[in-house]
Amino acid sequence: MTPPSPFDVVFLSYDEPLADALYARLSDTFGRVKRLHGVHGMRRAYQLTAEMVNGDFLFIADADFEVAADYNPSEAGPLDAGVAMRVWRTVNAVNGLVYGHGGLKLCRRQALRDMRDDAVDVLAGLPGRIEFTPTVAGRTRFNQSAWHAWRAGFRECAMLARGCEYGTASAEAQARLEVWTRTGTGAYAEDARRGARAGVAFAADTPPDDGMWQNLNDPAWLARRYAASR
């Protein structure tokens, strides 16, 4: 039996078809897991997780995260001074990319409360350094429907094309864009590619400092964009 997590765990879900199953799987690995469901707006949802726990640190898992069978949460230590978040990598369920997209996160509670509101990728607005571990903690199962696959491709590739707020080198970002827009197999792979290409087009048409970028965190705006693309 896997030892329980040394920190509180919050599972964030909104409208994902596999949310209940992935929540149950996470609970089997971590022990008791709290859940926040249906909060509109990603920034607000992440900020609310800080009010659900008592300790200085908390794990956050999104509802497209499928924890690996051999992941051991008891091995995770607290964050060093000045570090706001640690991210474990995932394997992309459609195109096989391995990086922090959809990854498991250990966050500093106060950093979530002090999050800036100017970042497009909302967790890039945490005050402090971001750590990326080499460990793969699971898969990102974002392809739960045509809509969810399209939405993930659109958001991720728009942000990669704009310029990654976590400091990813442009050559590496371009390589990831090539994979997102051109490859992939399995459920809703073509929808993920269509969303990725649409996200790249959005980035090309939208200046980096335009307020339109904040719409990437608005599920209703994304849903309208998806409907118009069909």
Side-chain angles (χ1 to χ4, degrees), residues 118-196:
D118 59 343
V120 177
D121 187 324
V122 296
L123 292 180
L126 295 177
R129 293 187 290 109
I130 310 297
E131 291 182 344
F132 290 90
T133 77
T135 305
V136 174
R139 289 200 298 168
T140 175
R141 296 281 304 279
F142 63 89
N143 57 328
Q144 299 179 28
S145 74
W147 149 238
H148 291 87
W150 184 96
R151 180 177 69 185
F154 184 95
R155 292 190 73 253
E156 178 67 3
C157 290
M159 289 188 285
L160 284 172
R162 177 179 183 260
C164 180
E165 292 171 298
Y166 295 109
T168 301
S170 58
E172 187 173 2
Q174 187 58 44
R176 290 172 182 172
L177 285 169
E178 287 291 317
V179 175
W180 269 100
T181 57
R182 297 177 182 274
T183 67
T185 59
Y188 309 111
E190 178 54 31
D191 299 285
R193 289 192 294 270
R194 285 199 311 108

Side-chain angles (χ1 to χ4, degrees), residues 8-10 34 49-55 57-58 109 113:
D8 285 328
V9 188
V10 180
K34 300 177 181 181
T49 64
E51 310 312 319
M52 299 176 65
V53 302
N54 297 315
F57 308 104
L58 65 149
R109 184 187 188 194
R113 288 172 165 169

Side-chain angles (χ1 to χ4, degrees), residues 11-27:
F11 181 83
L12 273 181
S13 57
Y14 186 71
D15 62 358
E16 298 83 2
L18 295 180
D20 289 348
L22 295 179
Y23 172 71
R25 182 183 178 101
L26 192 74
S27 299

